[in-house]
Amino acid sequence: MSSSISDLLASKTLDLEPYEQLYKHYHSHPELSNQEKETAATTAKHLSKLADFKITTGIGGHGFAGVLHNGSGPTVLLRADMDALPVKELTNLPYASTVTQVSERTGEESPVMHACGHDMHITCLLAAAEHLYALRSSWSGTLVVLFQPAEERGTGAQAMVDDGLYDKEKHNIPVPDYVLGQHVMALPAGKIGSRVGTIMAAADSFKVTVFGRGGHGSMPHRTIDPVMMASNIVVRLQNIVSRETDPSDMAVVTVGYLRGGHTENIIVDHAELGIDIRTINTATRERVIASLKRIVHAEYIASGAEKEPTIEETRFFPQTYNDEDMEGKLAGSFGEFFGEAFDPQIARTNASEDVSILASSQGKPSLFWFFGGTEPEFYAQKEREGRLIEDIPQNHSSGFAPVIQPTLKIGVDALCVAALTFLTRK
Amino acid sequence: MSSSISDLLASKTLDLEPYEQLYKHYHSHPELSNQEKETAATTAKHLSKLADFKITTGIGGHGFAGVLHNGSGPTVLLRADMDALPVKELTNLPYASTVTQVSERTGEESPVMHACGHDMHITCLLAAAEHLYALRSSWSGTLVVLFQPAEERGTGAQAMVDDGLYDKEKHNIPVPDYVLGQHVMALPAGKIGSRVGTIMAAADSFKVTVFGRGGHGSMPHRTIDPVMMASNIVVRLQNIVSRETDPSDMAVVTVGYLRGGHTENIIVDHAELGIDIRTINTATRERVIASLKRIVHAEYIASGAEKEPTIEETRFFPQTYNDEDMEGKLAGSFGEFFGEAFDPQIARTNASEDVSILASSQGKPSLFWFFGGTEPEFYAQKEREGRLIEDIPQNHSSGFAPVIQPTLKIGVDALCVAALTFLTRK
Amino acid sequence: MSSSISDLLASKTLDLEPYEQLYKHYHSHPELSNQEKETAATTAKHLSKLADFKITTGIGGHGFAGVLHNGSGPTVLLRADMDALPVKELTNLPYASTVTQVSERTGEESPVMHACGHDMHITCLLAAAEHLYALRSSWSGTLVVLFQPAEERGTGAQAMVDDGLYDKEKHNIPVPDYVLGQHVMALPAGKIGSRVGTIMAAADSFKVTVFGRGGHGSMPHRTIDPVMMASNIVVRLQNIVSRETDPSDMAVVTVGYLRGGHTENIIVDHAELGIDIRTINTATRERVIASLKRIVHAEYIASGAEKEPTIEETRFFPQTYNDEDMEGKLAGSFGEFFGEAFDPQIARTNASEDVSILASSQGKPSLFWFFGGTEPEFYAQKEREGRLIEDIPQNHSSGFAPVIQPTLKIGVDALCVAALTFLTRK
Amino acid sequence: MSSSISDLLASKTLDLEPYEQLYKHYHSHPELSNQEKETAATTAKHLSKLADFKITTGIGGHGFAGVLHNGSGPTVLLRADMDALPVKELTNLPYASTVTQVSERTGEESPVMHACGHDMHITCLLAAAEHLYALRSSWSGTLVVLFQPAEERGTGAQAMVDDGLYDKEKHNIPVPDYVLGQHVMALPAGKIGSRVGTIMAAADSFKVTVFGRGGHGSMPHRTIDPVMMASNIVVRLQNIVSRETDPSDMAVVTVGYLRGGHTENIIVDHAELGIDIRTINTATRERVIASLKRIVHAEYIASGAEKEPTIEETRFFPQTYNDEDMEGKLAGSFGEFFGEAFDPQIARTNASEDVSILASSQGKPSLFWFFGGTEPEFYAQKEREGRLIEDIPQNHSSGFAPVIQPTLKIGVDALCVAALTFLTRK
């Protein structure tokens, strides 16, 4: 029976050419997180061509969803994220972005680029919707296609849920039995992979402010030096990973920024640390955060400061966890459909995603996979040279842009195959 | 014979009332370092009333000097500094500054305030010039009154020397046998003090830039983390003072600022440290700077960074050192003239001055003393309460403003007594 | 065909009762590393009952091997280690050790205990030799049973090789095509497990000596403080694991001892650090050791010490790496023989072993597996209580002693199944 | 009137030759702290020749005092200390020590040497007693000569007081109005010096024990690593001196020993730090000790350890503080008697003494001075070479031994002049 997915997909041709054009449009019109207004409008308009999809817009900002009720059976949600990044594009592509935008969050103007491939995600999902719509007589169940804002800030999925995405009194989108999502990565185009368990790490960001007592640099004894306190904390934090974490487990504690003081000879009264934590186990995550708090508090005690430091969580992504049961089924479908191109044990990444909130908030399982976007021969050459990391533009870099094909085709097929794995096939 | 200085000064009355007005004018018209244009013009104009002073302007910026040749004998140079600070005045005085100025150095506009008392120094020196001029028949020698720019940046004295202050082909100011200067401090008004040896510390400022390799916070192993490097340096630097410096000597190493990174999850490629060093012995200064360089270099090695850190000296004040011989003579004069109000063993301060460059650059000795500007009863009360540091506005603070009298009178008398100590009295 | 191993083993009964007695004998007569004289003699005597085994003793100390040439086919080497530990037994078992021994290495007398289960390894291998001997008509090839000294010091396997184990002119033991070994662990008795790739970590031990300059504690500036240097190194070393190691890889850097100074007020002239490193990848191991050297050297530079620190490798265990091909075959046999009791993806341990040297020194592959020794119901209860680590005596602890059955039977069967997997079965 | 002291001393000749022999006897018969049995017996026997001295022995161990009541007037106490050090003498002197002794404190045998010159102190005080006795018709008052044990441990003076030295019901030694003491130093023989205020630092020794949780070095996450904790503390302690102490004040915090762990791969459960603190102001001392406690406690918090570290004071010397009034009088006498050889502003040392307890425990003032013992020409030569510290044996070193003359004569004269300064001269 599982062979029917390949046959099914082959039974209707999908012309991807218009989607290649659409991808270029998205790529040259990126919008920052929570400012995806035109992107959402263009996408919703496109989706509205598929008459039976019921579209609800303005969910948690510019988020929206289209629902296709197609008889009895499971509800499957396919998700794409829509936001771009404050990065200046340096790809030299004919359709490169030249957009600048004033960030709603920082108030600063900056260049904007789809440097994380969300433009590809949107395009794939629209095309998959068309294809699954065309095949609707061959399956039954409910299909939800969801376009999410603000993934980069880790807030978009939660914002949609909090805004009543599944609320019967509000947007009333059917609660999915399965949530499915994908991400284009700096892997060879044509390749696709997934894994059981954690596929992307949990991420927590904190802003720590330590308070000392300012004064003149020549009289340190009249001060409590916050730059010293902050440096002591950075050094002491290393013990969390080096001594407290099971070497066979995983934790990362990065102090991304440390800001204290303005001039050489003046000791200021506070300093700020921006801390990023990655973990793949919930218990480890809790322990690492507890250790962070303990160490910051200890420096407050050691320094004799008068005011307790503040620790503010600024961003949170849960771990992206692939349900064992779902993954087993998907591996079957993908293995059959993609053959050798599919890797069922792809390496976990410590980058993070918020897609799982769309499922976990309802006590449901989710699945996530990666597909490649790097020109395969270039990748192979760099692999031979041992320069994969040095020379291949990674997500979030100013040179990141997938080759359109076969990336697009793989992404569309993957969504279709995955959806059909969990919908009821007739 | 030394009793004659008191008698001499008493022989001519100096009306200080116009100088009080002049002080208020300066206080409400502060100008930043190297921007002392109006201050210098007003001051030179005032000095020009004393016909025999030959005035040379535009030395090392807005610096200028007046020279009174008055027969054979030593050349004595009295110095005042003219620049104000980027501080918002919060004194509520009727003559408080409301001035703002765009800094030539930073390009930023800021409020400006005479928060270090240089307005008092200018006024005292003008009044002393008039008094010594009035008494010129009683002494012989050459009197130089020098008004210096940019003391706060530690560059003004050197700039005047470098611009040919003493150069026969250029400004041709006579090389002084003795350089004398003073500073108003947060001591009780009416008090005056000096000491043999170092009275103010040497100060060196450095900007250290460490270079790592940027990347994503979740993949520290692909980066060399410059915030970590900078923090390691801050912590390791403590050993210079705690372990390498003679406990009976003095050194201060302050990291006034540490700037690295912008956001929690991105590891940047460099970080900056602003370091201030205070010492009172030349050998110690050299050792501390050598240790700083060693420790920064060692962290470069420890981290495996690819680019050597840079260490740039951004400011330098030599120690202000009172010649033992001169101090002996001054202590005699001041002790006789000021009685108990004079403290010959006043505590050294770790703040810094560049006046000594006017002497040491010519191989000549100099003398420096402090005089009080805080209302005496207020000072006494705060001393009783043990809150001198907490409650009395110190130099550079937004509340610092000397009471005009007796501060002004003491400052004028001190300059006259000191000058007459080293000129030839008839 | 693979079903024949189970049938084969069942075709001859092996009476384990004498081996239970033998195990108790070994347990109550432990000997320290390189002092396994009686253990080797007893074992060789026992093995000599199997007439066709050709025994060679005194290889690399008390090591010895028995070789059974049994027709054409592969050579399979089964290995057991013989040494015990300087630990005082606290098991209250009737056959607990009361032995003390003067250590050849330290010259100190200490209690001795088979706290790592090598007594079980010896017993299992003797029993397996008997069983395989009994079955010799059903397989062909060469069987080597090897009893190794000094595993705890990481030197025994290398010593046997260096002493000419495989040298035609010396001991002339046939070079194995496959090396097989096992270790009893604090897992439930009855369970057995293995994994592809690294199953036990590489371990490197170093002694680092830093040289300062001694003096009186009240005059640190006349000294270079080696306790300070050593502490700086300990703190700086944390960056190797926390910042330089791929979070998805594994490295441990432990400073097991730091020794510097004798009395509070005297600064000594050197300090010693004992460092233990664990890794599972060769490239990571090399990088970690390089970083250690760099950091130690950097502290020498930072401190201005006159003498370069010394770094001496004191112990080395390679990683225990299970060949993918062999593991595939073994997993087949073990899966069929042990069923659910076999875990083909058992967790890697960061403890270390030197068995692989017997293979890698000849460019041959090896396989290693773990089997449980903890009473299963006790284990289950502690697992429910979440107190596995706290309450179950681990290897090297004074309470570690496997339950004799089913531990012994599993260990014997495992050796037989594994050997028969690689020998030629008729 | 003060000129009479010189005349007075000259009026009676004191033959120092027997005292030179006595000095050699003491030098070759050193005894460790609290084991000064023979030294005390020999000294008391010698003192008993001066019939009017009333001798009380066995005060606070081997301490004793002789009291000469000589009419009305002040009570002056002259003090010598008697104990030697566990140092192997390497002076090659004909009267060098070859003594070894089993330490009462450590139970270990070690060579013993008068490496701190207490033998000279005893000899000088005996000779001074004879001279002052001979002159007793020229002064009135009460003279106490006190021989103290265990100065090196900082316990002898307190032990004498605690044992009832001044207790009317116990030893009933008259409470002194003035306590006087002296120390021979590595200064040129012939030189003598003192200073107002702190002449020797306060010293506090602490043993800090941190408690972690032991385990295997490959599993740091199951442990709390006490070597890491101790190293963190050593590093964090540096802030006390570098940031918290007024640069114009003085504090030293030395970690003389750090002991943790035995072998590379085992994490132990505790580590010990031996810490020595030097200060010259009482408030600073209290603050430094409070900071030490805070920092140790903070590391306990940071590490999540289960047991609070212990901090045990192992030794305490108060600062040796010269009363301003007494010092003024002594400077007059010494200046007149010794002329240029006397330095009234000799450099403070950070070494420590417990003599002041004999005075401060009774609310009385004390005075202490240094006199030189190094051969003057050798000293001058080393001063020219800039190698005073490197080449001249300091107190406590195995090469320290004063030249007998003029050291002895200066030491005797100093005691006599000082005593006669405070006794009533007729």
Side-chain angles (χ1 to χ4, degrees), chain C residues 109-123:
Chain C
E109 182 161 15
S110 69
V112 186
M113 175 189 178
H114 264 303
C116 195
H118 295 189
D119 44 358
M120 181 59 74
H121 304 167
I122 307 168
T123 313

Side-chain angles (χ1 to χ4, degrees), chain A residues 32 85-89 97 99 110-113 115 396-399:
Chain A
L32 292 172
L85 286 161
V87 168
K88 183 168 177 49
E89 178 153 4
S97 163
V99 169
S110 70
V112 185
M113 175 187 176
H396 287 219
S397 85
S398 56

Side-chain angles (χ1 to χ4, degrees), chain A residues 135-155:
Chain A
L135 296 168
R136 66 191 176 280
S137 61
S138 304
W139 57 268
S140 69
T142 299
L143 177 67
V144 182
V145 293
L146 182 144
F147 296 86
Q148 179 198 311
E151 185 277 337
E152 298 292 354
R153 293 303 307 159
T155 55

Side-chain angles (χ1 to χ4, degrees), chain B residues 238-257:
Chain B
Q238 306 311 309
N239 286 199
I240 298 178
V241 170
S242 67
R243 300 272 83 194
E244 297 183 11
T245 301
D246 185 343
S248 303
D249 187 5
M250 198 286 286
V252 182
V253 179
T254 287
V255 180
Y257 68 83

Side-chain angles (χ1 to χ4, degrees), chain B residues 238 242-243 247 250 253-254, chain D residues 238 242-243 247-248 250 253-254:
Chain B
Q238 306 311 309
S242 67
R243 300 272 83 194
M250 198 286 286
V253 179
T254 287
Chain D
Q238 306 311 309
S242 68
R243 301 270 82 195
S248 303
M250 199 286 287
V253 178
T254 287

